[in-house]
Amino acid sequence: MTLTLTVSDDVRALAPGFTHVAIEAHGLVNGPSSDASSALLDDAARRLAVRLDGRAPHEDPHMAAWRETYTAFGSKPSRTRNSAEALAKRALSEAGLPRINLLVDLYNAISVAHLIPVGGEDIDRVEGGMRLIRATGEEDFVTVAGGEETVEHPDAGEVVWRDDAGVTCRRWNWRQGPRTRLTERTTSGIFLLESLAPMPVAEVTAAAAELAELLAKFSPEAEIAVRAPESSA
């Protein structure tokens, strides 16, 4: 079954240059991070350093566009960075990129190499379709704080991804909730690559193709479908 993804008119009006490409995959094989996935993360960090050529991540035009958009819906981008900028900072630090699990490593490598937010959700844990909306502030976001489950609520006007059960990711692509994240038991996933102008749609498409190739390499029996880019322009 194809997972439905919709973008509200309010979000389209906020970010007319927004484009997303989705990859739906079934029959995936996940597991712990491996030497191969670790090597991909190291290579992505090297590709990022070449891309930035000495600049800080937030000085990249694409990251600057995300900062402007975060500011437009009331978030402070220097405190709540989009996922790509946050990963890029880690990639360039002494600590380097985290190793989470095989599937997360793959999409994090693409995010860092292309400097584009990429997320992954376990389709079997998503309830109904997924919608990108501006929150009312009453939606539930179930997360973990201090080792215990807790319920937060987004700010009114905040851009969030949600399904029928509640918010799955706050501040567009800043913090994913644990309910739908990819675990080592995941077999079906939706991977979402998100960009803003001035990044060309062709680059988002190329990044999606690279991720699809990696998914096929590590899960050769999986059924993988790359959807056409959807743009707000």
Side-chain angles (χ1 to χ4, degrees):
M1 181 181 294
T2 299
L3 182 70
T4 301
L5 298 170
T6 58
V7 179
S8 73
D9 290 341
D10 286 345
V11 173
R12 293 181 185 278
L14 176 73
F18 174 57
T19 298
H20 69 274
V21 180
I23 302 169
E24 186 167 343
H26 299 273
L28 294 166
V29 178
N30 200 7
S33 298
S34 65
D35 289 344
S37 69
S38 184
L40 286 170
L41 290 169
D42 289 340
D43 181 62
R46 288 190 290 268
R47 291 169 65 182
L48 173 68
V50 171
R51 182 189 191 98
L52 290 174
D53 192 25
R55 296 174 298 167
H58 70 267
E59 295 176 301
D60 178 86
H62 189 215
M63 294 298 93
W66 276 106
R67 283 193 166 215
E68 290 176 6
T69 300
Y70 268 48
T71 300
F73 65 77
S75 291
K76 294 182 178 180
S78 59
R79 188 173 64 184
T80 55
R81 296 179 176 87
N82 75 80
S83 64
E85 184 181 333
L87 273 177
K89 284 181 66 66
R90 293 196 64 172
L92 298 173
S93 72
E94 290 187 6
L97 288 164
R99 274 60 172 166
I100 308 298
N101 60 53
L102 184 60
L103 291 177
V104 175
D105 289 353
L106 296 187
Y107 79 69
N108 278 350
I110 295 300
S111 176
V112 169
H114 291 270
L115 206 53
I116 179 173
V118 184
E121 307 280 355
D122 188 322
I123 290 176
D124 294 330
R125 295 170 178 264
V126 175
E127 298 190 23
M130 292 181 60
R131 307 183 295 281
L132 187 65
I133 65 166
R134 299 198 70 175
T136 65
E138 298 178 357
E139 297 87 352
D140 288 343
F141 177 70
V142 180
T143 186
V144 176
E148 296 188 2
E149 186 175 285
T150 184
V151 178
E152 299 177 355
H153 303 282
D155 299 327
E158 180 183 326
V159 177
V160 299
W161 279 102
R162 68 158 300 163
D163 64 2
D164 290 350
V167 174
T168 58
C169 194
R170 285 198 60 188
R171 295 194 176 100
W172 208 314
N173 46 43
W174 167 65
R175 180 194 291 172
Q176 182 187 31
R179 173 170 59 89
T180 58
R181 68 187 174 192
L182 302 179
T183 70
E184 293 183 18
R185 297 180 299 277
T186 297
T187 58
S188 295
I190 189 83
F191 301 85
L192 193 65
L193 298 87
E194 302 179 302
S195 71
L196 296 171
M199 176 170 278
V201 174
E203 184 163 355
V204 187
T205 304
E210 186 177 345
L211 177 54
E213 289 177 4
L214 288 175
L215 294 171
K217 176 182 178 180
F218 284 85
S219 296
E221 302 301 319
E223 297 180 5
I224 301 168
V226 182
R227 303 186 191 178
E230 294 189 24
S231 176
S232 298

